[in-house]
């Protein structure tokens, strides 16, 4: 019978390391991102962000801010999504302001 062991990395990432494999936690990553962008380009940016998988616009400020709520299968996908949003044209910054792991 194999015993599961915990190490610092497994604990921080929410994964339990066993003798067979690393088992990811069930569920998904939920996050909110504040995006600061050119105010006159918000409509185009809104369309570009909502076209990304798992993204929706939760709030908008006409001075150039969008609140994006997103869901991703894992932390790596969430990081990639944040980088994708940050790389969109007319985006000044995109900052992760909330992150949680939703369990099944």
């Amino acid at each position: 019978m194999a015993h599961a062991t915990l190490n610092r990395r497994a604990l921080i990432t929410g994964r339990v390391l066993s003798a067979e494999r690393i088992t990811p936690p069930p569920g998904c990553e939920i996050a909110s991102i504040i995006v600061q962008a050119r105010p006159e380009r918000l409509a185009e940016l809104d369309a570009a962000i909502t076209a990304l998988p798992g993204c929706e616009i939760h709030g908008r400020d006409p001075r150039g801010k969008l609140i994006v709520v997103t869901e991703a299968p894992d932390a790596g996908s969430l990081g990639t999504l944040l980088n994708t949003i940050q790389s969109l044209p007319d985006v000044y910054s995109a900052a992760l302001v909330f992150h949680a792991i939703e369990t099944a």
Side-chain angles (χ1 to χ4, degrees):
M1 181 165 89
H3 293 283
T5 60
L6 289 178
N7 64 31
R8 185 173 182 272
R9 184 170 209 59
L11 187 61
I12 290 171
T13 60
R15 297 174 183 203
V16 176
L17 185 59
S18 70
E20 293 83 36
R21 62 184 180 151
I22 295 177
T23 307
C28 63
E29 310 275 329
I30 297 172
S32 61
I33 302 166
I34 294 183
V35 178
Q36 179 71 47
R38 294 180 63 159
E40 64 274 10
R41 305 288 294 173
L42 280 184
E44 293 86 356
L45 188 58
D46 186 321
I49 291 173
T50 54
L52 295 171
C55 289
E56 65 180 60
I57 304 297
H58 188 69
R60 172 190 274 221
D61 184 327
R63 293 175 290 183
K65 291 184 182 174
L66 294 173
I67 307 283
V68 179
V69 176
T70 185
E71 185 176 300
D74 54 43
S77 299
L78 183 59
T80 300
L81 185 61
L82 180 60
N83 288 337
T84 300
I85 292 172
Q86 204 163 17
S87 299
L88 290 172
D90 303 311
V91 171
Y92 296 139
S93 68
L96 181 69
V97 293
F98 174 80
H99 174 244
I101 298 173
E102 179 71 23
T103 58

